[in-house]
Amino acid sequence: MIKVWVLVIVMFYNGFPSKGTSNCNNVTRPSTVNVGAILSFNSTIGGVAKIAIQAAVDDINSNATILNGTKFNISMQDTKFSPGFLGIIDSLILMEKGTVAIIGPQYSEMAHVISHIANEMQVPLLSFAATDPTLTSLQFPYFVRTTQSDLYQMSAVADIVDHFQWRDVIAIFIDDDHGRNGVAALGDKLAEKRCKISYKVPFRPNNNNNISEEEINNALFKIALMESRVIVVHIVADLGLKVLKVAQSLSMMGSGYVWIATDWLSTVLDSNPSLSTSSAMNDIQGVITLRMYTPDSELKRKFVSRWNNNLTLKMNHQEGPFGLNTFGLYAYDTVWVIAYALDALFSGGNNNNNNNNNNHNILFSNDSSLNLLRGDSLHLDTMGVFINGSTLLQKILEVNQTGLTGRMMFDLDGNLLNPSYEIINVIGTGVRRIGYWSESYGLHTGEEVPNDGNSSEGLYGVIWPGQTTQTPRGWVFASNGRHLRIGVPLRVSYHEFVSRIEGTDMFGGYCIDVFFAALNVLPYTIPYKFVSFGNGRTNPLNSELLHQITIGAFDAVIGDITITTNRSKIVDFTQPYIESGLVVVAPIKELKSSAWAFLIPFTPMMWFVTGMLFLIVGVVVWILERPFNDDFRGPIRRQLVTIIWFSFSTLVFAHKEKTVSTLGRLVLIIWLFVVLILSSSYTASLTSILTVEKLSSPVKGIESLVVNNDRIGIMSGTYAENYLSEVFNIHRSRLVPFNSLSEFEKALKDGQDNGGVAAIIAERAYMELFLSTRCQFGIVGQEFTKMGWGFAFPRDSPLAIDMSTAILKLSENGDLQRIHDKWLTRSACSSEGAKQGIDRLETKSFWGLFLLIGIACLIALLCYLIRMTYRFRRHYSNSTNLEVPSSSSCSSCLKSFFSFVNEKEK
């Protein structure tokens, strides 16, 4: 008992060691350097790592370019499948031998404990197999991971789940540090993809892996009752094979299931070549597993050849030689990392922390806190603090060399840079690589980056359990006999949409028929039952109905449920099966014809602009034609009458005056085109006004309701109240809720002055049904929202996606429209063809034509002015009796010019 307490004191003593006397030889480069290794020799990983580590030591000692004569001495301790107490004892034994670094331990839970001792003794701890993501340099500064963290492996698993659009997974794991923390990392990575672990199956830690098949059978039986069919297995190798064997016996390795195994399965397949010819391969068909990616290289190929030819012969194993796995490659590289760091330490490389002469020495100091253990049989007082430990740790983190696994480089947290994995599919007697995963690029099909031309995002095709290439849906309805509870609103109005069939628990209506039709399209059946929501006296609030999904009372809600932004934050909606935005309904009346109806097509401004253009064009044509045409000459009064007559007679193309000038004809052609367009538009508008029914209402739309204080009717239970108050700032006291169509009708008939309402604001689907038999009301203004109705499901429900697909198919094949016509077809009273208000023609509709004739007139006048100026100057320059007026007599010049222009040209 005393020894146990001593060990506890050693492990949890976190104070800084007091400096004692040096107990080592003070030499520049020692003849021998001691490194320890803690392994489980009889395990799959430990057996391979033992051979790889010894091979690395032999290669280092035979290489004259490394350590410069210092012998690299390795001392291996066998933990015999015990990740706890024996591992602690082994680490203490290694500390007594003046060990400068420890390789291992193999198990993550042991690494947590020994890291405390390594921190105390300042001895770097390099593990090639402890993948627990919680082993970080923040807590354990002397821990260096020379393999890839499970954090990245779980990122790869999460990307696979997201790639195939699954949302829920089931996790099977060992309930120890390695299993718990790995699954916790998986949960975090899945949450980033809006996925989750719906059920966890922990197995108790057992050093001998003798968990009975009955325990496994009970756990898998519970999984079979769950909805999710995506199962992630993160356990040790022997137990993993046992789990898959029991799953095969329970028919859980068939079609519809997805099994994703972490790198334990690829390690077993690589380490045991005889497994491919055994019956165990039948139990793992279609499984997806991961393998740490190590790029191909000449160095790796040579080592694999050595491994197959002579290295494994050194190992006396009853089941034959081990195959080489990735952990063996990382174990080999780990030894070389230590050798490179020691060589840098002995060579006196750059060191920012210590520049004294002791950089070349291996120094240990006594820890005064261990003096109380003097005389103990374990000789714990002989352990010393490695003075050069921090410097060696820095050298390790600075290593940048190429090994069997690729580039060995570390980040500041002691993790390898650029982690990546192979994605493997077990098929037949072997495996098939279906892609890669890297931290930078996610899933891709080539070894290089996805944009190199030979690689693309995603994965190759997978052969799934059951020998199928069709991607499993990833979920089924739970086999525990429970039916889906589908909430249906118990409405007191608009029974055409949703209504209970009297005397039964069934419902009918447009929404119900759409739901039934969508169910028939699904490739599977859904066990369900309808549950009514509401008291039957007032319409239930849709927000309260949807809240029942969030608390688990309902598994889905169907009915006339509008899809809004706030509602989409708490539930998932399907694709809308009907569009229904908000509209304004108000009393309308037919407009009577007026004696001045012919003025209605044009606005006053349009009449003014058109009239002015007639006069302007007449003046321009008069100017252009007067020098040549007698029709445009004569007394001033006659010329004024000619201008007015000519311009307005072009309206009906009845002008008798001929145009002889080129510029005049050009202007007239363009003007006649403008007149043609104006007269055609006027005729069409006047025809529409006189032949189409015209309706008017004091309410012009939502804009007029916002600015006044009239009361507005809304349908109770809908989102209209919140929308109008929050978006349009309409005070809630103005909003009057109604439950039935008769209440709507009475309120509109009474009007604002008699205690009713000025208008009703509701969704178009309701109002079209309401107006089908009530022609004294109508929709005024435009639909001012674009909403739709959908079925609601819990967040991330896969059923919402399948139902959306089914609704789209109904829309494509016309079934959705047929259901609409069945329930919502209008009756005889209809407002089709009725025109509310009058759309008058405005100047903005014709500004292009006006601009065209204006430019034509300006160009024609400019050309005429230039021509007359030229002829005027030429006339006076050729005259023998008259001189050209001087610049001082401008008035005389202008008078002469106008006289010249007024003359008729021959």
Side-chain angles (χ1 to χ4, degrees):
M1 188 65 185
I2 295 175
K3 294 179 180 179
V4 174
W5 282 107
V6 168
L7 292 175
V8 173
I9 293 173
V10 172
M11 284 188 293
F12 295 100
Y13 180 81
N14 292 319
F16 289 98
S18 57
K19 302 298 178 182
T21 60
S22 174
N23 62 355
C24 72
N25 297 327
N26 190 8
V27 294
T28 301
R29 184 180 285 270
S31 60
T32 302
V33 62
N34 295 324
V35 175
I38 302 176
L39 308 170
S40 177
F41 293 167
N42 292 328
S43 66
T44 301
I45 296 176
V48 174
K50 179 183 177 182
I51 303 175
I53 291 174
Q54 189 59 56
V57 172
D58 294 341
D59 291 346
I60 291 170
N61 289 330
S62 62
N63 191 331
T65 62
I66 192 77
L67 294 182
N68 196 18
T70 299
K71 182 180 180 182
F72 193 102
N73 186 36
I74 188 73
S75 178
M76 301 190 194
Q77 298 292 332
D78 186 6
T79 62
K80 302 183 184 299
F81 291 105
S82 175
F85 183 74
L86 291 182
I88 300 173
I89 297 299
D90 290 337
S91 64
L92 297 176
I93 293 175
L94 292 175
M95 295 297 181
E96 294 179 7
K97 299 179 180 180
T99 300
V100 298
I102 296 177
I103 300 174
Q106 181 178 327
Y107 302 104
S108 295
E109 54 270 32
M110 187 190 300
H112 278 277
V113 177
I114 298 179
S115 292
H116 287 286
I117 301 176
N119 289 348
E120 177 68 20
M121 298 294 105
Q122 299 184 17
V123 175
L125 185 67
L126 292 82
S127 179
F128 61 90
T131 57
D132 181 0
T134 63
L135 287 166
T136 63
S137 60
L138 293 176
Q139 184 179 8
F140 307 115
Y142 282 86
F143 176 81
V144 179
R145 196 194 318 272
T146 57
T147 187
Q148 298 179 16
S149 171
D150 273 345
L151 179 66
Y152 305 111
Q153 181 170 210
M154 296 310 172
S155 296
V157 173
D159 281 354
I160 294 173
V161 172
D162 182 63
H163 173 73
F164 292 106
Q165 298 182 358
W166 300 317
R167 287 294 170 260
D168 293 353
V169 304
I170 295 174
I172 301 177
F173 61 99
I174 297 292
D175 195 15
D176 57 12
D177 290 338
H178 174 255
R180 277 193 309 271
N181 297 330
V183 170
L186 175 61
D188 294 339
K189 294 301 179 180
L190 287 173
E192 295 176 4
K193 310 288 184 182
R194 288 193 63 185
C195 305
K196 64 180 179 179
I197 300 176
S198 59
Y199 186 64
K200 296 180 181 180
V201 183
F203 284 109
R204 56 185 172 83
N206 193 302
N207 298 337
N208 297 320
N209 295 325
N210 59 357
I211 296 177
S212 65
E213 288 191 4
E214 182 180 0
E215 293 181 62
I216 300 174
N217 188 83
N218 293 337
L220 293 183
F221 183 76
K222 293 179 180 178
I223 292 177
L225 298 178
M226 301 294 168
E227 291 185 359
S228 178
R229 285 292 182 264
V230 182
I231 305 169
V232 179
V233 185
H234 182 57
I235 50 181
V236 294
D238 294 339
L239 180 58
L241 293 177
K242 200 180 288 187
V243 167
L244 295 177
K245 179 180 180 181
V246 175
Q248 175 74 4
S249 66
L250 295 177
S251 300
M252 296 177 65
M253 297 297 297
S255 179
Y257 280 90
V258 177
W259 291 85
I260 302 176
T262 51
D263 55 9
W264 64 266
L265 181 56
S266 63
T267 302
V268 171
L269 295 172
D270 293 339
S271 305
N272 190 358
S274 62
L275 185 65
S276 60
T277 59
S278 67
S279 60
M281 287 298 293
N282 296 328
D283 302 332
I284 59 177
Q285 292 298 304
V287 176
I288 293 178
T289 184
L290 292 87
R291 177 197 288 150
M292 289 180 286
Y293 172 65
T294 56
D296 191 24
S297 64
E298 183 65 24
L299 186 65
K300 178 181 175 181
R301 287 193 293 270
K302 289 181 179 179
F303 184 79
V304 172
S305 177
R306 287 175 56 197
W307 183 276
N308 295 331
N309 293 331
N310 55 18
L311 285 180
T312 55
L313 298 179
K314 299 178 181 180
M315 181 176 182
N316 184 18
H317 198 274
Q318 295 179 356
E319 299 180 3
F322 273 178
L324 179 61
N325 57 46
T326 52
F327 287 101
L329 299 176
Y330 278 107
Y332 181 92
D333 283 350
T334 301
V335 180
W336 275 93
V337 167
I338 297 176
Y340 284 125
L342 287 172
D343 190 59
L345 177 68
F346 297 153
S347 300
N350 293 334
N351 180 25
N352 297 330
N353 297 327
N354 190 359
N355 293 322
N356 57 33
N357 294 330
N358 289 336
N359 283 347
H360 299 183
N361 300 333
I362 296 178
L363 302 178
F364 291 86
S365 66
N366 292 332
D367 191 345
S368 60
S369 63
L370 296 177
N371 290 335
L372 58 92
L373 303 176
R374 188 178 302 277
D376 184 83
S377 59
L378 293 178
H379 306 291
L380 298 179
D381 59 309
T382 61
M383 294 190 302
V385 176
F386 185 25
I387 295 178
N388 308 97
S390 60
T391 305
L392 179 60
L393 175 64
Q394 185 63 32
K395 297 300 181 183
I396 290 173
L397 296 178
E398 292 175 356
V399 168
N400 184 3
Q401 298 290 337
T402 300
L404 300 182
T405 59
R407 204 70 182 170
M408 297 293 291
M409 295 176 60
F410 300 92
D411 58 20
L412 296 178
D413 295 327
N415 292 313
L416 287 175
L417 295 175
N418 304 320
S420 57
Y421 286 84
E422 298 176 69
I423 314 299
I424 298 172
N425 185 203
V426 181
I427 304 173
T429 59
V431 297
R432 171 174 169 264
R433 185 187 299 113
I434 59 175
Y436 298 85
W437 178 92
S438 61
E439 183 184 14
S440 302
Y441 300 101
L443 296 175
H444 50 94
T445 56
E447 294 188 29
E448 303 299 328
V449 297
N451 56 0
D452 70 343
N454 297 321
S455 179
S456 60
E457 295 181 358
L459 299 172
Y460 290 121
V462 181
I463 306 297
W464 302 100
Q467 300 299 310
T468 178
T469 58
Q470 183 178 358
T471 303
R473 192 169 67 245
W475 66 277
V476 296
F477 289 98
S479 303
N480 53 13
R482 190 179 74 86
H483 287 59
L484 290 182
R485 291 173 55 85
I486 299 179
V488 184
L490 193 60
R491 290 201 167 275
V492 298
S493 61
Y494 292 108
H495 291 164
E496 291 85 353
F497 295 107
V498 178
S499 64
R500 173 184 277 177
I501 301 175
E502 293 187 7
T504 67
D505 292 333
M506 297 303 295
F507 286 79
Y510 169 72
C511 301
I512 304 300
D513 278 7
V514 173
F515 177 73
F516 286 154
L519 289 184
N520 293 332
V521 175
L522 294 179
Y524 49 87
T525 58
I526 298 178
Y528 68 90
K529 64 177 181 179
F530 289 141
V531 181
S532 60
F533 182 80
N535 55 22
R537 296 184 299 274
T538 59
N539 290 327
L541 295 175
N542 286 338
S543 58
E544 294 182 1
L545 179 58
L546 295 176
H547 178 66
Q548 301 302 308
I549 294 180
T550 63
I551 64 177
F554 291 150
D555 299 307
V557 166
I558 65 174
D560 47 347
I561 310 298
T562 305
I563 303 173
T564 65
T565 302
N566 290 334
R567 292 174 180 177
S568 297
K569 294 177 181 178
I570 60 174
V571 297
D572 279 353
F573 283 99
T574 62
Q575 176 80 11
Y577 56 86
I578 186 174
E579 293 183 359
S580 184
L582 291 178
V583 294
V584 178
V585 173
I588 57 176
K589 61 181 180 179
E590 184 178 354
L591 290 176
K592 302 299 181 180
S593 297
S594 169
W596 301 98
F598 68 91
L599 295 175
I600 295 177
F602 285 173
T603 61
M605 178 57 69
M606 183 66 179
W607 281 118
F608 173 77
V609 173
T610 304
M612 291 301 297
L613 278 177
F614 272 99
L615 295 176
I616 292 173
V617 171
V619 172
V620 171
V621 173
W622 172 77
I623 294 174
L624 298 176
E625 289 293 320
R626 189 172 183 279
F628 313 98
N629 197 336
D630 290 335
D631 292 337
F632 292 88
R633 301 183 65 85
I636 295 179
R637 181 175 180 181
R638 178 187 174 187
Q639 294 182 42
L640 290 176
V641 173
T642 300
I643 292 173
I644 297 174
W645 162 255
F646 177 82
S647 60
F648 284 98
S649 63
T650 56
L651 180 62
V652 291
F653 307 99
H655 52 283
K656 66 178 181 178
E657 294 80 8
K658 294 182 179 181
T659 53
V660 295
S661 68
T662 303
L663 293 176
R665 290 176 177 178
L666 175 64
V667 172
L668 185 61
I669 290 174
I670 296 176
W671 171 243
L672 291 178
F673 173 74
V674 173
V675 170
L676 176 64
I677 300 298
L678 290 176
S679 61
S680 300
S681 301
Y682 174 86
T683 303
S685 181
L686 183 61
T687 302
S688 174
I689 292 172
L690 297 178
T691 57
V692 178
E693 181 184 3
K694 300 171 290 297
L695 305 175
S696 67
S697 172
V699 178
K700 302 304 179 184
I702 184 63
E703 294 81 5
S704 62
L705 291 175
V706 171
V707 298
N708 60 35
N709 292 319
D710 294 343
R711 288 188 298 275
I712 303 171
I714 60 173
M715 178 176 288
S716 63
T718 63
Y719 74 100
E721 180 177 1
N722 291 333
Y723 184 84
L724 294 174
S725 61
E726 294 173 2
V727 176
F728 291 100
N729 295 320
I730 298 176
H731 199 274
R732 292 180 183 270
S733 61
R734 295 176 53 195
L735 304 177
V736 183
F738 297 108
N739 288 306
S740 64
L741 301 182
S742 58
E743 293 179 357
F744 272 169
E745 185 175 6
K746 182 178 183 304
L748 287 174
K749 286 182 177 179
D750 291 343
Q752 172 75 16
D753 298 333
N754 298 320
V757 296
I760 296 290
I761 294 181
E763 297 176 64
R764 177 177 285 275
Y766 297 132
M767 292 298 95
E768 287 181 348
L769 201 60
F770 172 76
L771 297 174
S772 61
T773 56
R774 298 168 176 84
C775 296
Q776 67 272 36
F777 310 115
I779 297 175
V780 296
Q782 300 294 322
E783 183 177 342
F784 57 91
T785 63
K786 293 294 182 182
M787 301 290 188
W789 293 354
F791 304 135
F793 293 89
R795 294 281 288 174
D796 302 322
S797 172
L799 189 56
I801 300 175
D802 290 351
M803 287 294 285
S804 293
T805 304
I807 290 173
L808 289 175
K809 290 181 179 179
L810 292 177
S811 177
E812 291 172 357
N813 60 26
D815 288 345
L816 202 59
Q817 184 61 43
R818 283 188 285 271
I819 298 173
H820 180 277
D821 295 341
K822 172 186 174 182
W823 289 96
L824 307 179
T825 300
R826 294 183 178 186
S827 58
C829 180
S830 174
S831 60
E832 286 294 334
K835 187 175 181 65
Q836 298 167 11
I838 299 172
D839 296 329
R840 309 181 74 179
L841 300 176
E842 301 179 4
T843 53
K844 65 181 180 180
S845 301
F846 300 96
W847 70 269
L849 286 174
F850 297 157
L851 180 63
L852 177 63
I853 188 60
I855 293 175
C857 292
L858 288 176
I859 293 176
L861 289 176
L862 182 61
C863 292
Y864 174 77
L865 180 61
I866 294 174
R867 179 176 177 274
M868 295 307 296
T869 302
Y870 171 77
R871 292 177 63 84
F872 172 72
R873 294 182 62 87
R874 182 179 178 184
H875 173 74
Y876 278 99
S877 62
N878 294 334
S879 176
T880 56
N881 299 324
L882 297 174
E883 296 181 356
V884 178
S886 64
S887 58
S888 59
S889 57
C890 292
S891 59
S892 299
C893 180
L894 288 176
K895 184 181 296 183
S896 299
F897 177 75
F898 286 122
S899 297
F900 176 77
V901 170
N902 193 40
E903 294 178 359
K904 181 180 178 181
E905 294 188 23
K906 295 181 182 180

